Amino acid sequence: KSLDQKYRVALIANTRGKGDSLAIVYGIKKEHLNEHLWKLQGAIDSMNTARVEEIISKHGYPGISLVGYPTNEVAFYIIQHSKVIDKYLPLVKKAAEKKELRFQLYAMMLDRSLMFQDKEQIYGTQGSGMSVKNPATGKWENLSFIWPIHDPLNVNQRRKAAGFTDTVEESAKSMRIDYKIYTLEEILKLREEIMKADSY
């Protein structure tokens, strides 16, 4: 898990104003820092994914009865940050239903899978962001938001049933996002407008 998070921690630090010192550490220009960190993390993610797929092919999901806690969550985090989520989502669901893995983790993976398919998430665990032009200033600004949720008015009941101890509002706050309900249509339209603006 520590390798899975190795450069993600630095990426978060960069968004929180520590990019200057990180750029010095890695010996690159600040504007190239994100790209550099993602390249390093991508190489680790690929190796981790290959190893987890090898383990799964031999043993199935390495759950609590096979590897104990918290090691039973390592494979989840590696898959969650990979391009093979949909391939292993049914396996993770089965592991969660058999108490081999916390159900909240399956809920997070389901939400991420739905978000990547441009569908509404169920539990409100996934945040996203995009650069939008401020109509008042004409400047590009980062818009961070919780990805649109199916039946958002009842999301906290679903979260509680899934084992989450925080509300969607509290979860958003922990991600430094001001929670606001967006519809899928609003977000997809906004993204389309941004893509059109970029193509001019």
Side-chain angles (χ1 to χ4, degrees):
K1 188 176 167 185
S2 61
L3 277 178
D4 177 71
Q5 296 297 315
K6 184 171 182 180
Y7 296 106
R8 287 185 172 88
V9 172
L11 283 155
I12 291 167
N14 186 31
T15 64
R16 295 180 179 171
K18 297 179 181 173
D20 291 331
S21 54
L22 284 169
I24 291 167
V25 168
Y26 289 102
I28 58 171
K29 291 181 179 178
K30 186 181 174 185
E31 58 266 27
H32 299 146
L33 184 60
N34 265 11
E35 182 184 348
H36 179 71
L37 292 171
W38 274 121
K39 189 175 181 182
L40 294 172
Q41 188 62 57
I44 289 174
D45 288 350
S46 294
M47 287 188 299
N48 284 345
T49 302
R51 178 67 181 131
V52 163
E53 290 195 287
E54 188 183 321
I55 291 167
I56 286 172
S57 70
K58 289 179 183 175
H59 306 284
Y61 185 87
I64 200 163
S65 60
L66 182 67
V67 297
Y69 175 83
T71 309
N72 67 318
E73 297 186 355
V74 172
F76 159 80
Y77 283 106
I78 290 168
I79 295 167
Q80 180 79 338
H81 294 133
S82 75
K83 295 176 181 175
V84 293
I85 285 178
D86 292 339
K87 179 179 178 182
Y88 292 108
L89 187 60
L91 184 72
V92 170
K93 181 183 182 185
K94 195 179 289 185
E97 289 171 344
K98 291 182 176 179
K99 310 281 191 233
E100 293 289 336
L101 184 70
R102 287 185 294 138
F103 191 86
Q104 300 98 299
L105 297 181
Y106 161 68
M108 289 167 63
M109 188 173 284
L110 174 61
D111 276 356
R112 182 165 286 208
S113 171
L114 291 167
M115 179 177 73
F116 286 167
Q117 296 175 63
D118 287 341
K119 295 177 180 176
E120 295 172 323
Q121 60 177 325
I122 306 298
Y123 298 98
T125 64
Q126 301 299 301
S128 189
M130 60 180 82
S131 291
V132 296
K133 202 170 203 175
N134 185 321
T137 64
K139 292 182 180 178
W140 289 91
E141 299 174 357
N142 186 52
L143 171 67
S144 296
F145 54 93
I146 296 299
W147 184 260
I149 303 168
H150 172 74
D151 185 19
L153 298 182
N154 292 305
V155 66
N156 285 328
Q157 288 95 310
R158 291 194 299 276
R159 288 176 68 88
K160 191 173 181 181
F164 291 100
T165 56
D166 59 353
T167 64
V168 70
E169 293 85 358
E170 290 166 341
S171 175
K173 191 175 181 182
S174 73
M175 290 186 256
R176 297 187 175 204
I177 295 173
D178 291 326
Y179 180 64
K180 180 183 172 186
I181 295 174
Y182 286 98
T183 66
L184 187 61
E185 291 73 22
E186 285 173 326
I187 291 300
L188 296 181
K189 186 181 177 186
L190 188 57
R191 188 168 70 190
E192 190 180 326
E193 287 169 359
I194 291 164
M195 289 171 73
K196 279 181 183 174
D198 283 347
S199 65
Y200 288 128

